[in-house]
Amino acid sequence: MSTPHSPAGVTESLHIGLFAHLADHRGAVEQTYLDYLDLFVHAEGLGVGSAWVRQFHLAKPDAGRLGGLPSPFVFLGALAARTSTLRLGTAAITLPLEQVLRVAEDAAVLDALSGGRVELGLANGGQPQTASAFGIPHIGDRTQSRRAYLEAVDRLAAALRGEAVTVDGEVIAPARPDLADRIWHATLTAQSAYETGQRGEGVLIGTTQVVPAEAYHRGLAEGAVPRLGLSTWIFPGRTREEALAQAEEGLIAKWQWARDFLPQADSTAQIAERLNLHYGTADDIAASIATHPAFAHTTQIQLQLDGLYRSLEQQKDALELFTSDVAPALNAAIRREVAA
């Protein structure tokens, strides 16, 4: 997947996207939204090809969870009005917590207004208490949950293609058949990654996930074009030691969330490794990303600038470093691998 244009600093062989949780706040939640709109617009000016936002439902302020972004289509609609080439990605809509036809309609309207720029990332899951709050039955059995999810994805894709959704032959308006070919899945297991490949859809791999990229590629039909987005968390510094020291407070806070499902870590450096943080100089960051098990199969780097940064300007500086220095080094690594 190549970038739609190639300003200085962004290469064409590896698509660069910018990913945001919008759940780590330096101030009010509202200011986080505005800061990321600003950052995404800045990213387009640097030649970044896509913006990806995660969906978070509900908040628990007394436990320190102030909330994230519950309505990605609303946010991306505001971003569409501020940009002209940036792809607009959801990473991901938790489909079991949604009404399938409403997702299809919202995605279709955004795609129409943005000139066909939507990338529709979907995910299974959702906490039981969240489902209950929305009045949606929670499916506890994993096999049944997976089957129900894929059936919902198929209904969504059929609606986007303009197939009838009522016995009277009514269809969604506008239909967006091409958008049905831009569906991605956030996957947690090798089996779901393999099934995503079989379906010919894109796969999204998170920073702390261990889904083998090979499983996705095994599932792809011969001649199918792979779409593998790798979420990549970075923190630059003049040295690795300096970067790690500056990131320590944020890393430890993040570890409180991740420690229950990741291997034990006994130092800040081990925490950074468990969380797949790439840090240090541009060369350090590029070398670290290139050793990630999924990198050889990656078609799109989805850069994360969450959590560790003290200001919007610091995030912009990191983004500029990545596009000007890290991305070219990664593409050089790809060319060396191909030549070998």
Side-chain angles (χ1 to χ4, degrees), residues 150-166:
L150 292 178
E151 289 173 354
V153 174
D154 289 340
R155 292 199 306 275
L156 189 156
L160 290 173
R161 292 190 179 103
E163 297 180 21
V165 298
T166 70

Side-chain angles (χ1 to χ4, degrees), residues 278 285-293 295-296 329-330 333 336-337:
H278 309 284
I285 291 170
S288 179
I289 293 171
T291 62
H292 190 287
F295 178 71
L330 290 174
R336 286 195 299 269
E337 184 173 328

Side-chain angles (χ1 to χ4, degrees), residues 11 13-14 282-292 295-298 301 325-340:
T11 51
S13 54
L14 183 65
D283 287 342
D284 291 331
I285 291 170
S288 179
I289 293 171
T291 62
H292 190 287
F295 178 71
H297 302 283
T298 296
I301 291 289
D325 296 347
V326 179
L330 290 174
N331 275 282
I334 292 172
R335 288 193 294 272
R336 286 195 299 269
E337 184 173 328
V338 170

Side-chain angles (χ1 to χ4, degrees), residues 235-248 277 279-281:
F235 191 78
R238 289 180 295 185
T239 65
R240 280 177 61 80
E241 293 75 18
E242 178 186 277
L244 188 62
Q246 291 180 351
E248 183 173 22
L277 176 69
Y279 59 95
T281 66

